């Protein structure tokens, strides 16, 4: 049997998901080959400056080197024909085997799963932000240099999206606060070599974070002019049903600041009781009972008191999924080359904390 590579079962072909199934992707397209042929012609020419006094002749080796660089730039900038297909899934393996050498790291997974595109999807936005927040708290030093650069590039796109769309700025403020606190601690401990890269780079990144925090602090919500039906025009029972759909207490408080009617509905004891019962168990209630002046339980204060001691349930429109059969981590709508007879029975949604735990060795 001929030697095919480190993994004798996988010679390195790239596969594309189509309507008819998975098909092998050719490494080069005809459009790129035509471009390469044109670039090959350049490599055999001699480049001379127009000025006779400062005439400069480049050697054939210099021309070949320049031609190779132009080929790379052409390949990177050729948007009409995508030469290489980048999978949006990653095989999670924690130890070396005869077929696979090395192991998957958190930084590698962070680079491969295309979080830049995920933040443009409103279903995944909160999921990615929560994941970045968990990495900022404890796993920032686990990222490689390339993954750290990618981390801050994605963070920059998130901040710009919030500035443009005014979408959930409170969540981003919490992320930046945790990240700045972590960086301040790590920069003080630079003597222990806890950071990858020059210390001046991290100081610049910290200054950028402080600038982002100031921009979000000065963010002004745009008032939308609409002469049609507004939220205040809805009946009380419909407004009440909307409030009962919220799973975050801060969202209820924010909505209650819009109109006096919404404020009255947001202070309903039954609403906060349902919220507490959704997130916490009855045993946790008994340990932190907070009675009001009238002798009743203040469920609103109970919610925020319990939130300090116990984690709340998290809800996301879309999450990463893990295939137990293939040990592959992927976005559900992009799929992966699964070999199971019934792939849907092998899927398991992955929470942000579970994502971090997958790469703890």
């Amino acid at each position: 049997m001929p030697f095919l590579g480190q993994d004798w079962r996988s010679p390195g072909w790239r596969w594309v998901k189509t309507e008819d199934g998975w098909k092998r992707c050719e490494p080069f397209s005809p459009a790129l080959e035509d471009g390469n042929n044109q670039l090959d012609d350049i490599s055999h020419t001699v480049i001379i400056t127009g000025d006779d006094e400062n005439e400069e002749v480049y050697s054939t080796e210099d021309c070949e080197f320049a031609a190779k660089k132009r080929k790379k730039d052409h390949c990177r900038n050729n948007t009409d024909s995508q030469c290489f297909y980048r999978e949006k899934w990653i095989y999670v393996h924690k130890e070396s085997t005869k077929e696979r050498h090395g192991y998957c790291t958190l930084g590698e997974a962070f680079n491969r799963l295309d979080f830049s595109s995920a933040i443009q999807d409103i279903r995944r936005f909160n999921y990615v932000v929560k994941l970045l927040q968990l990495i900022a708290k404890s796993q920032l030093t686990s990222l490689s240099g390339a993954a750290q650069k990618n981390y801050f590039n994605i963070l920059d796109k998130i901040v710009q999206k919030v500035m443009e769309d005014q979408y959930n700025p409170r969540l981003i403020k919490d992320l930046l606060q945790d990240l700045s606190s972590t960086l301040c601690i790590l920069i003080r401990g630079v003597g222990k070599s806890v950071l990858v890269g020059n210390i001046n780079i991290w100081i610049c990144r910290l200054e950028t974070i402080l600038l982002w925090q100031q921009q979000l602090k000065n963010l002004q919500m745009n008032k939308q002019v609409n002469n049609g039906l507004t939220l205040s025009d809805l009946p009380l029972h419909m407004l009440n049903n909307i409030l009962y759909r919220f799973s975050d207490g801060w969202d209820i408080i924010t909505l209650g600041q819009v109109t006096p009617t919404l404020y009255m509905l947001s202070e309903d004891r039954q609403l906060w009781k349902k919220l507490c019962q959704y997130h916490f168990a009855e045993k946790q209630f008994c340990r932190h009972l907070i009675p009001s002046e009238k002798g009743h339980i203040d469920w609103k204060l109970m919610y925020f008191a319990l939130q300090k001691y116990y984690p709340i349930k998290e809800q996301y429109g879309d999450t990463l999924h893990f295939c137990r059969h293939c040990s592959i981590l992927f976005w559900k709508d992009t799929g992966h080359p699964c070999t199971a007879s019934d792939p849907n029975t092998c899927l398991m949604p992955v929470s942000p904390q579970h994502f971090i735990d997958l790469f703890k060795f």
Side-chain angles (χ1 to χ4, degrees), residues 190-240:
V190 70
K192 301 178 182 179
S193 301
V194 293
L195 292 173
V196 177
N198 191 289
I199 183 62
N200 295 324
I201 295 177
W202 287 99
I203 293 176
C204 291
R205 287 173 176 172
L206 181 59
E207 292 176 352
T208 303
I209 293 171
L210 297 177
L211 177 61
W212 286 338
Q213 288 178 316
Q214 187 63 36
Q215 291 176 350
L216 291 174
K217 184 179 180 180
N218 299 332
L219 178 64
Q220 298 292 332
M221 296 296 179
N222 297 330
K223 292 184 178 180
Q224 298 182 356
V225 179
N226 189 359
N227 297 326
L229 187 68
T230 64
L231 186 65
S232 303
D233 298 326
L234 296 176
L236 288 179
H237 72 277
M238 295 186 65
L239 294 175
N240 199 39

Side-chain angles (χ1 to χ4, degrees), residues 104-223:
C104 179
T105 63
L106 175 63
E108 184 181 358
F110 190 81
N111 287 336
R112 287 280 299 275
L113 291 172
D114 195 20
F115 290 108
S116 296
S117 300
I119 61 175
Q120 304 302 326
D121 190 338
I122 193 172
R123 300 172 303 164
R124 302 175 180 174
F125 184 83
N126 291 357
Y127 181 87
V128 176
V129 172
K130 182 63 177 181
L131 180 58
L132 264 62
Q133 188 174 15
L134 291 177
I135 293 176
K137 288 182 178 180
S138 60
Q139 301 296 321
L140 192 61
T141 55
S142 300
L143 301 179
S144 63
Q148 289 174 356
K149 184 177 180 180
N150 188 23
Y151 179 95
F152 282 93
N153 288 338
I154 295 174
L155 187 59
D156 183 25
K157 293 179 181 179
I158 290 176
V159 173
Q160 299 306 320
K161 180 177 177 60
V162 173
M163 296 296 295
E164 294 174 0
D165 301 341
Q166 290 90 38
Y167 178 74
N168 210 342
R170 177 177 55 84
L171 189 63
I172 314 304
K173 290 179 181 179
D174 295 339
L175 166 60
L176 294 178
Q177 181 60 40
D178 292 336
L179 183 58
S180 61
S181 301
T182 302
L183 282 184
C184 289
I185 296 174
L186 294 178
I187 289 175
R188 295 193 191 102
V190 70
K192 301 178 182 179
S193 301
V194 293
L195 292 173
V196 177
N198 191 289
I199 183 62
N200 295 324
I201 295 177
W202 287 99
I203 293 176
C204 291
R205 287 173 176 172
L206 181 59
E207 292 176 352
T208 303
I209 293 171
L210 297 177
L211 177 61
W212 286 338
Q213 288 178 316
Q214 187 63 36
Q215 291 176 350
L216 291 174
K217 184 179 180 180
N218 299 332
L219 178 64
Q220 298 292 332
M221 296 296 179
N222 297 330
K223 292 184 178 180

Side-chain angles (χ1 to χ4, degrees), residues 13-59:
W13 296 108
R14 296 179 180 273
W15 298 83
V16 182
K17 185 179 182 182
T18 65
E19 295 180 355
D20 300 328
W22 289 87
K23 293 185 178 180
R24 196 172 67 190
C25 179
E26 296 297 333
F28 292 96
S29 62
L32 180 61
E33 290 180 359
D34 296 338
N36 287 342
N37 293 333
Q38 297 176 1
L39 294 174
D40 287 336
D41 298 336
I42 301 177
S43 62
H44 298 289
T45 61
V46 179
I47 303 174
I48 305 176
T49 58
D51 193 354
D52 295 333
E53 296 179 357
N54 299 324
E55 188 177 90
E56 183 176 3
V57 181
Y58 293 89
S59 63

Side-chain angles (χ1 to χ4, degrees), residues 249-269:
W250 284 109
D251 291 336
I252 295 176
I253 292 177
T254 303
L255 185 60
Q257 296 174 351
V258 176
T259 63
T261 302
L262 287 172
Y263 175 77
M264 177 192 66
L265 295 175
S266 66
E267 293 294 321
D268 183 23
R269 290 181 61 253

